[in-house]
């Protein structure tokens, strides 16, 4: 019995870590058949050993069914469905021809390392990458190893269109397989491995684009916007209502820009650790293509990472301090956790010692002193000190283009400070109502206003700003931020975005609306009420261009007065260089 326990426990640990990494048990079962096989085999043998009743009819094993996780159509899995269809269309294939028999893999249980699993999960060499998905992964067609004549769609992290690669297929879904990149046999002309700045690139799940020139990154992000509108706003595209997508506006900082990082660690349950567990970011599969970093950061689901080149210097100082602390106090944790590293900015008064002016708490070095970095806003001749905060409830400050914003470290705030002056200026300019009569006042509504970033940065030149936001905490910060910045024409309401329309009292012909919803986008009720209100202009900012495209199409085609609007411009802003993410800004005005 004791011997079995020692076999089963490590298997359970592996299973647990896979559950954490994919967050879906049904998929896990389908894809962990090697481990599941071993477990089933062990259980079988256990049963046989302990089964003394003779002639008992063996129970027929229950067939396991694949349960697909319900995916948000505008989320990564939903978008992948469009990308799969497009790839199939380009190659004259039908869905049936790339369908995997997931049930066969799932039920290949009783045999240790069953042939089904071995056949499906295998190394495949010399595969041409045909395109890149919007999440940056390469897509290729490979032969189905079991059903002759059929193909499979392989997703290849860090594979670039034009690469010829060797891959290891390790997980099967109904219409695609997940793979690890083993070798790049022939390089895509896009591939510039010499640009890679991080030793963890290729292993860490954070960045996808470090081996591309920055121009290429911006181009790919523009393509993501073009495709998003093709997939989620097809009626607008067919009727040529989507303007030419503008060039993506780059971030002034390409590295060292991220003001928030959240390294994490796992703690094995019921076990005293001798060494501290890895503290860092998730590992993306088990790549082998970067031969120089195979052992770096470890081989577990979380990589041990001491520095992140996209994090700001202050955040990286915090990371170094918190790692040192973790070296000695990791035994105090009973469960895994995430450590918040959030940059905090103090405006310095030139005549005093910087350290004396750091009034907020911050991450401390070994000597017990708060670590800080000094910088400046050259244009406005303002000196700043940046520290790193780890307490989610601590109030932090951001400095944007002459304004300061306070908010709780754990609440939402844009994570790339360097691009914010460009974005807020662009939004401000695009909110202007053309042909306004001189002296006639203009108004602004900021739906999903957070702690007031766009309201406050666009408040000059308008008579009144009304912001609405679901988080009461954020609204209270928005009010404080307006007051602290000497802005007197902003009013903020707590509630769902649609609550706005109950209290809106500004004339629609003279009012512009900013929308900046979370990833899931706006709901139809809100879009209908917006159309009823009929504002002069709308600037829709989104961190998920797919839900933005869906909402814009719904607004223009399916709401009462949507047909009276046109898309005036559409373009991306690169809030997250080196990653596949893009922020999209769509400006709509009345025809
Ligand atoms: C992407 S953030 C934008 C915040 C702000 N515009 C900024 O740039 O800092 C989206 C905000 O919408 C808020 N939110 C989420 N659902 C909402 C809803 N139904 N109505 C109003 N606000 C909502 C969130 O709390 C969050 O602050």
């Amino acid at each position: 019995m004791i011997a079995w326990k020692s076999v089963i426990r490590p298997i359970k640990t592996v299973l647990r870590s896979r559950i954490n990494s994919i967050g879906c048990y049904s998929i896990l079962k389908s894809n962990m058949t090697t481990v599941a096989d071993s477990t089933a085999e062990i259980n079988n043998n256990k049963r046989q050993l302990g089964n003394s009743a003779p002639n008992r009819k063996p129970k027929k094993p229950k067939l396991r069914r694949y349960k697909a996780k319900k995916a948000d159509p505008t989320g990564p899995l939903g978008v992948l469905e469009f990308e799969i269809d497009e790839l199939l269309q380009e190659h004259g294939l039908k869905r049936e021809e790339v369908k995997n028999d997931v049930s066969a893999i799932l039920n290949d249980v009783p045999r240790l390392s069953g042939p089904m699993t071995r056949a499906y999960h295998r190394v495949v060499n010399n595969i041409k990458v045909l395109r890149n998905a919007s999440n940056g992964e390469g897509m290729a067609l490979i032969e189905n190893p079991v059903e002759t004549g059929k193909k499979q769609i392989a997703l290849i992290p860090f594979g670039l269109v034009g690469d010829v690669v060797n891959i290891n297929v390790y997980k099967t879904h109904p219409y695609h397989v997940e793979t690890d990149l083993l070798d790049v046999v022939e390089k895509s002309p896009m591939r510039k491995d010499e640009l890679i700045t991080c030793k963890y690139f290729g292993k860490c799940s954070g960045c996808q684009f470090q081996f591309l020139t920055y121009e290429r990154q911006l181009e790919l992000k523009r393509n993501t916007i073009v495709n998003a509108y093709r997939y989620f706003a097809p009626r607008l595209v067919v009727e040529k209502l989507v303007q030419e997508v503008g060039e993506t506006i780059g971030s002034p900082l390409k590295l060292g820009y991220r003001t928030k990082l959240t390294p994490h660690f796992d703690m094995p349950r019921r076990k005293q650790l001798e060494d501290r567990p890895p503290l860092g970011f998730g590992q993306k599969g088990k790549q082998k293509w970067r031969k120089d970093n195979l052992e770096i950061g470890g081989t577990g689901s979380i990589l041990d990472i001491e520095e992140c080149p996209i994090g700001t210097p202050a955040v990286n100082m915090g990371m170094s301090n918190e790692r040192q602390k973790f070296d000695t106090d990791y035994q105090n944790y009973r469960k895994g956790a995430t450590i918040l590293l959030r940059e905090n900015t103090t405006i310095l008064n030139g005549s005093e010692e910087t350290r004396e002016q750091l009034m907020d708490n911050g991450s401390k070095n070994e000597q017990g002193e708060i670590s800080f970095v000094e910088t400046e806003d050259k244009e406005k001749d303002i000196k700043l000190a940046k520290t790193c905060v780890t307490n989610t409830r601590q109030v932090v400050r951001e400095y944007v283009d002459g304004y300061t914003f306070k908010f709780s470290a754990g609440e939402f705030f844009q994570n790339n400070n360097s691009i914010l002056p460009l974005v807020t200026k662009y939004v401000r300019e695009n909110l202007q109502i053309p042909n306004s009569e001189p002296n006639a006042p203009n108004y602004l509504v900021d739906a999903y206003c957070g702690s007031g970033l766009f309201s406050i940065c666009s408040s000059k030149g308008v008579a009144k700003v009304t912001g609405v936001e679901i988080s009461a905490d954020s609204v209270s910060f928005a009010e404080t931020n307006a007051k602290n910045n000497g802005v007197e024409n902003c009013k903020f309401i707590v509630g769902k975005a649609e609550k706005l329309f109950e209290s809106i009292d500004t004339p629609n012909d003279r009012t512009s609306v900013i929308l900046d919803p979370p990833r899931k986008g706006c709901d139809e009720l809100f879009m209908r009420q917006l159309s009823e209100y009929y504002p002069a202009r709308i600037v829709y900012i989104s961190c998920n261009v797919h839900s933005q495209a869906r909402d814009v199409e719904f607004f223009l085609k399916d709401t009462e007065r949507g047909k009276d609007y046109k898309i005036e411009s559409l373009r991306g802003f690169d809030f997250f260089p080196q990653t596949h993410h893009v922020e999209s800004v769509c400006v709509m005005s009345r025809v």
Side-chain angles (χ1 to χ4, degrees):
M1 201 59 200
I2 291 161
W4 284 120
K5 265 191 188 165
S6 65
V7 178
I8 293 166
R9 208 171 275 147
I11 291 168
K12 279 186 177 165
T13 312
V14 175
L15 274 168
R16 232 186 351 252
S17 74
R18 292 305 273 216
I19 291 173
N20 289 342
S21 68
I22 61 175
C24 170
Y25 185 58
S26 56
I27 293 177
L28 165 100
K29 283 203 288 189
S30 74
N31 298 304
M32 288 300 296
T33 28
T34 312
V35 176
D37 287 351
S38 326
T39 317
E41 177 80 357
I42 291 159
N43 288 336
N44 254 354
N45 292 345
K46 262 166 67 181
R47 251 178 263 126
Q48 276 164 20
L49 287 173
N51 188 356
S52 51
N55 302 331
R56 190 188 281 174
K57 213 172 164 191
K59 257 194 180 167
K60 205 173 165 193
K62 230 181 173 180
L63 278 186
R64 291 197 284 173
R65 272 193 303 170
Y66 178 81
K67 263 197 254 148
K69 199 179 168 194
K70 203 164 172 245
D72 167 6
T74 65
L77 286 176
V79 176
L80 179 63
E81 292 299 311
F82 287 93
E83 289 167 331
I84 287 176
D85 279 338
E86 209 158 59
L87 183 72
L88 294 179
Q89 211 180 356
E90 281 162 13
H91 291 82
L93 292 167
K94 295 201 169 55
R95 280 248 168 191
E96 265 315 295
E97 292 171 273
V98 292
K99 188 166 184 188
N100 298 309
D101 189 354
V102 188
S103 164
I105 302 175
L106 258 180
N107 290 296
D108 193 23
V109 171
R111 283 159 287 165
L112 191 65
S113 301
M116 218 36 125
T117 312
R118 255 200 234 153
Y120 273 103
H121 299 161
R122 67 213 190 267
V123 170
V124 191
N125 290 332
N126 297 314
I127 299 306
K128 181 121 184 162
V129 180
L130 302 171
R131 60 183 283 158
N132 281 96
S134 63
N135 68 357
E137 293 185 14
M139 294 178 84
L141 281 167
I142 57 177
E143 298 303 319
N144 184 306
V146 174
E147 296 174 79
T148 326
K150 280 178 75 169
K151 303 231 177 256
Q152 292 184 306
I153 290 180
L155 296 190
I156 310 165
F158 308 103
L160 284 173
V161 58
D163 279 340
V164 176
V165 295
N166 299 337
I167 55 177
N168 179 42
V169 180
Y170 68 89
K171 195 180 274 189
T172 306
H173 300 265
Y175 293 102
H176 72 272
V177 294
E178 290 185 55
T179 75
D180 288 323
L181 180 56
L182 303 179
D183 284 296
V184 180
V185 183
E186 273 174 44
K187 279 186 177 187
S188 152
M190 279 161 65
R191 180 177 282 277
K192 306 268 180 261
D193 288 346
E194 63 280 11
L195 296 176
I196 297 173
T197 45
C198 179
K199 61 184 176 188
Y200 302 104
F201 180 70
K203 289 184 99 169
C204 175
S205 53
C207 291
Q208 298 76 37
F209 284 172
Q210 282 190 22
F211 48 19
L212 298 176
T213 62
Y214 194 54
E215 291 67 37
R216 184 73 77 180
Q217 295 187 23
L218 297 181
E219 200 180 299
L220 288 187
K221 294 183 189 205
R222 183 181 171 278
N223 283 349
T224 298
I225 298 177
V226 172
N227 288 339
Y229 275 76
R230 285 197 301 114
Y231 302 152
F232 291 95
R235 288 176 286 162
L236 300 184
V237 172
V238 167
E239 292 176 35
K240 301 203 180 336
L241 296 175
V242 180
Q243 291 292 319
E244 175 74 3
V245 177
E247 290 192 356
T248 312
I249 306 292
S251 167
L253 292 177
K254 280 81 184 162
L255 290 167
Y257 64 83
R258 245 194 108 105
T259 48
K260 179 185 170 191
L261 289 176
T262 48
H264 39 273
F265 60 89
D266 268 346
M267 270 289 164
R269 279 183 229 162
R270 293 188 291 275
K271 197 177 166 203
Q272 278 288 313
L273 282 177
E274 276 164 29
D275 296 320
R276 76 153 173 76
L279 171 60
F281 306 109
Q283 171 150 216
K284 181 79 191 162
K286 301 266 181 217
Q287 66 88 30
K288 296 256 183 336
W289 65 282
R290 280 200 72 186
K291 309 295 176 212
D292 52 342
N293 73 359
L294 292 182
E295 297 305 320
I296 294 175
T299 52
S301 60
I302 295 178
L303 295 171
D304 195 47
I305 293 183
E306 69 282 35
E307 192 179 7
C308 171
I310 64 171
T312 63
V315 158
N316 271 304
M317 275 186 175
M319 184 130 130
S320 165
N321 293 342
E322 297 314 305
R323 283 173 64 84
Q324 270 172 17
K325 229 192 279 166
F326 190 59
D327 280 345
T328 52
D329 69 6
Y330 70 91
Q331 296 280 15
N332 301 337
Y333 288 91
R334 302 189 66 195
K335 288 199 282 187
T338 295
I339 296 178
L340 171 72
L341 302 170
R342 171 49 103 170
E343 186 168 287
N344 184 22
T345 305
T346 307
I347 297 184
L348 295 174
N349 152 1
S351 56
E352 276 176 58
E353 255 304 289
T354 302
R355 197 167 284 291
E356 305 292 304
Q357 298 179 62
L358 303 176
M359 47 193 167
D360 303 318
N361 205 357
S363 174
K364 294 184 176 137
N365 62 17
E366 270 183 309
Q367 291 71 46
E369 292 172 330
I370 296 177
S371 301
F372 67 89
V373 184
E374 282 186 64
T375 131
E376 60 184 324
D377 175 347
K378 285 199 181 115
E379 227 174 81
K380 299 199 163 59
D381 192 24
I382 288 178
K383 301 245 179 301
L384 305 163
K386 308 267 186 180
T387 54
C388 179
V389 162
T390 56
N391 178 350
T392 52
R393 285 190 295 274
Q394 188 175 323
V395 175
V396 291
R397 290 155 229 253
E398 270 279 27
Y399 171 86
V400 183
D401 210 13
Y403 295 106
T404 46
F405 292 88
K406 280 187 176 184
F407 54 97
S408 289
E411 290 266 335
F412 177 88
F413 201 85
Q414 308 287 358
N415 288 335
N416 177 350
N417 181 269
S418 78
I419 202 170
L420 289 182
L422 297 182
V423 180
T424 49
K425 180 168 183 269
Y426 184 85
V427 169
R428 198 163 48 236
E429 286 173 357
N430 279 284
L431 288 166
Q432 301 301 317
I433 300 170
N435 307 324
S436 21
E437 304 153 35
N439 305 327
N442 287 338
Y443 304 90
L444 184 61
V445 162
D446 184 3
Y448 312 89
C449 68
S451 49
L453 174 69
F454 291 113
S455 299
I456 292 168
C457 290
S458 311
S459 60
K460 274 192 195 139
V462 294
K464 184 169 148 189
V465 184
T466 311
V468 66
E469 160 63 47
I470 205 162
S471 153
D473 260 6
S474 294
V475 164
S476 138
F477 279 112
E479 284 164 348
T480 310
N481 290 333
K483 196 162 158 225
N484 292 350
N485 286 295
V487 172
E488 290 176 352
N489 57 346
C490 293
K491 180 181 104 183
F492 298 99
I493 305 166
V494 180
K496 284 189 168 184
E498 50 271 23
K499 193 167 174 205
L500 184 67
F501 301 103
E502 289 169 13
S503 52
I504 200 160
D505 56 1
T506 58
N508 59 343
D509 284 353
R510 310 228 53 82
T511 302
S512 301
V513 175
I514 307 173
L515 310 178
D516 184 13
R519 291 195 72 77
K520 66 178 177 107
C522 305
D523 60 20
E524 292 187 359
L525 175 67
F526 175 81
M527 283 314 216
R528 284 211 172 87
Q529 292 185 355
L530 180 66
S531 127
E532 257 170 57
Y533 175 63
Y534 200 49
R537 292 176 76 75
I538 301 167
V539 177
Y540 187 155
I541 306 150
S542 174
C543 56
N544 180 1
V545 62
H546 304 100
S547 58
Q548 182 194 58
R550 176 204 62 199
D551 291 348
V552 168
E553 181 176 88
F554 181 81
F555 181 74
L556 295 181
K557 301 298 287 177
D558 302 318
T559 63
E560 188 88 11
R561 307 178 86 170
K563 63 177 182 326
D564 293 348
Y565 288 82
K566 64 169 193 243
I567 296 178
E568 201 173 279
S569 65
L570 174 61
R571 67 169 358 119
F573 280 80
D574 189 16
F575 276 46
F576 301 106
Q578 320 306 336
T579 77
H580 66 84
H581 298 283
V582 62
E583 195 90 2
S584 170
V585 182
C586 177
V587 178
M588 289 180 276
S589 57
R590 289 204 212 141
V591 184

